Amino acid sequence: MEECWRWYGPEFDRITLPEIAQTGATGIVHALHEIPYGEIWTREAIAARKAQIERAGFRWSVVESLPIHERIKRDDGDLSGLFANYRQSMANLAAEGVTTICYNFMPVLDWTRTDLQAPVARGGSCLRFEAYRMAAFEIHMLGREGAEDDYSPEVCARAKTWFEASGEAERNALLHAIMSGLPGAFDRYDIAGLKAQLALYDGIGREEIRRNYKRFLEEVIPAAEELGMRLCVHPDDPPRNILGLPRVVSNAEDIAWILQAVESLANGLTLCTGSLGANPVNDLPAIAERFAPRIHFAHLRNVKKDPDGSFEEAAHLAGDTDMIAVVKVLIAEEARRKAEGRADAAIPMRPDHGHELLADVGRGTFPGYPLIGRMRGLAELRGVVMAVSHG
């Protein structure tokens, strides 16, 4: 497997490429976060960033992500220009030799957490999704109609207690945490702004989102085939409806629908063991085996789940997912691809959402993306890959 590292670029990331080199990673996962959603990534901008990455001794292995404009997710107006821009950005990436694109189809928000620094046993902190705090946000801060129906009575009761005891600082911190899953986005919403965004999705349910998603695939996958590119969807995080918005990449049934919507090797999956692992119904080794031929990228991380729907980022080998079983499936798939003589047999993977440990504390890196915590995860995963590879 190709060991990769997500880097947000010189404008946004406090971690430098020389530091990343010391982790042992050889591939960089990156996006041009400075370019607004829907605009073309020029070949010149791509070439300049690729050259910077290569000068530091890396390969730009995966784009994460080439964002999909919200209007496409809503089927809002004439989308021909947005689709054309997306295809042109793909063509410009392919011309520079960057051919794997991870993307997601989550409406409005990306990954969602309620706590950015939840304490971890023996020190350090992690990202956490606390069901009652999310319920407090939806029911009492946002005032979303029908939000109570998405949570158990016990969670709603805890939400009410928390909200009544909280002050402005605690509520602002919760809003900040929920907005922090958008590291490259230009939009950060206050309560009024978020309400306005959600209103744009009024009347758009699961079937409408699926229809709009299928149209996106039909617009871009033929171009990806011609360019020799691989697109791979990232699962919903968390894998459940959020803020009343439908999530349609949350389980094996969803993945099967997506991969069948446009039958093509170019229409693939980012196997995120953390995102899918937060759904109790998901069997990660079974999902990996079922969809192995269409897995073009892997996020290997782990979560520990609670019965009420809460979960937190665990150490990479310490959560609810059997990481060794997942890696065995991916190594077997790589062997199958090598036997076919494929040049793209190696599956790029990266550690994801590490704990904030030691000198990470106070450095101000993106939540979930510290240096030492991810290096620990990469080292653990490297050991698993080496052991599995040697039988």
Side-chain angles (χ1 to χ4, degrees):
M1 300 186 76
E2 181 186 12
E3 295 181 4
C4 297
W5 189 275
R6 188 172 190 179
W7 181 58
Y8 288 98
E11 300 92 344
F12 301 103
D13 207 323
R14 293 178 182 268
I15 298 171
T16 66
L17 289 172
E19 288 177 305
I20 297 170
Q22 296 179 55
T23 71
T26 57
I28 291 294
V29 175
H30 180 65
L32 301 182
H33 295 294
E34 64 274 18
I35 299 177
Y37 289 12
E39 294 189 9
I40 293 173
W41 290 17
T42 66
R43 186 167 177 181
E44 293 74 18
I46 294 164
R49 188 56 51 82
K50 183 187 177 191
Q52 181 182 17
I53 289 169
E54 291 180 344
R55 282 195 301 270
F58 297 97
R59 184 174 86 94
W60 187 352
S61 303
V62 179
V63 170
E64 187 178 346
S65 62
L66 182 58
I68 300 170
H69 199 281
E70 289 296 310
R71 285 180 51 214
I72 291 175
K73 299 173 188 178
R74 300 192 303 264
D75 189 25
D76 179 9
D78 180 3
L79 303 177
S80 57
L82 288 173
F83 286 127
N85 286 358
Y86 203 96
R87 289 189 294 265
Q88 186 60 58
S89 295
M90 290 168 53
N92 292 341
L93 284 162
E96 294 299 325
V98 185
T99 57
T100 301
I101 298 175
C102 170
Y103 70 97
N104 75 71
F105 211 80
M106 291 180 265
V108 181
L109 297 183
D110 201 302
W111 59 263
T112 305
R113 299 292 186 273
T114 59
D115 299 270
L116 302 181
Q117 293 180 314
V120 174
R122 304 185 68 183
S125 65
C126 69
L127 301 179
R128 180 171 175 82
F129 179 90
E130 191 72 70
Y132 78 85
R133 285 164 63 83
M134 192 68 201
F137 180 79
E138 293 204 56
I139 298 167
H140 302 289
M141 292 175 60
L142 198 61
R144 181 173 72 82
E145 184 177 352
E148 297 92 339
D149 298 335
D150 291 343
Y151 298 92
S152 70
E154 294 78 15
V155 168
C156 290
R158 289 191 69 189
K160 184 174 186 291
T161 299
W162 179 87
F163 179 75
E164 290 175 347
S166 67
E168 183 178 1
E170 290 87 354
R171 296 172 190 177
N172 287 340
L174 179 56
L175 175 63
H176 171 71
I178 291 169
M179 289 296 109
S180 291
L182 298 167
F186 280 73
D187 291 325
R188 289 292 188 279
Y189 307 118
D190 57 14
I191 294 295
L194 184 56
K195 285 182 176 181
Q197 287 298 311
L198 295 177
L200 297 175
Y201 280 86
D202 284 349
I204 299 177
R206 176 179 175 82
E207 292 310 310
E208 287 78 15
I209 291 288
R210 272 191 165 188
R211 180 194 65 210
N212 301 342
Y213 188 4
K214 188 172 189 292
R215 180 184 175 188
F216 167 76
L217 293 172
E218 291 169 342
E219 291 277 356
V220 303
I221 294 300
E225 289 178 334
E226 292 178 7
L227 295 166
M229 303 192 83
R230 302 283 190 262
L231 269 65
C232 39
V233 63
H234 186 287
D236 302 326
D237 189 7
R240 52 165 290 171
N241 292 353
I242 289 288
L243 304 174
L245 299 170
R247 296 281 182 106
V248 297
V249 197
S250 293
N251 53 43
E253 183 226 342
D254 289 343
I255 295 167
W257 180 88
I258 292 161
L259 300 186
Q260 292 166 7
V262 176
E263 281 285 357
S264 169
L265 188 61
N267 178 24
L269 171 68
T270 296
L271 181 72
C272 181
T273 55
S275 297
L276 291 169
N279 186 337
V281 308
N282 287 336
D283 180 334
L284 266 298
I287 287 174
E289 189 160 9
R290 179 177 176 183
F291 302 111
R294 304 278 278 275
I295 295 172
H296 303 318
F297 182 32
H299 290 180
L300 300 182
R301 64 180 173 90
N302 225 321
V303 296
K304 183 69 175 175
K305 299 183 289 293
D306 296 333
D308 68 353
S310 303
F311 63 90
E312 67 181 33
E313 310 286 352
H316 283 69
L317 304 184
D320 295 335
T321 293
D322 185 344
M323 192 66 70
I324 295 172
V326 171
V327 170
K328 283 181 178 179
V329 173
L330 297 178
I331 294 296
E333 173 60 18
E334 285 189 329
R336 186 192 68 80
R337 297 178 189 184
K338 288 175 185 176
E340 289 182 347
R342 282 174 51 176
D344 63 344
I347 298 173
M349 69 86 167
R350 66 172 180 85
D352 198 11
H353 289 192
H355 289 174
E356 197 172 72
L357 305 171
L358 303 170
D360 290 330
V361 177
R363 186 165 182 185
T365 53
F366 278 121
Y369 292 93
L371 176 61
I372 295 172
R374 280 189 291 167
M375 184 169 67
R376 173 189 170 182
L378 180 59
E380 292 175 344
L381 294 168
R382 181 181 297 138
V384 171
V385 170
M386 292 293 288
V388 169
S389 299
H390 285 78

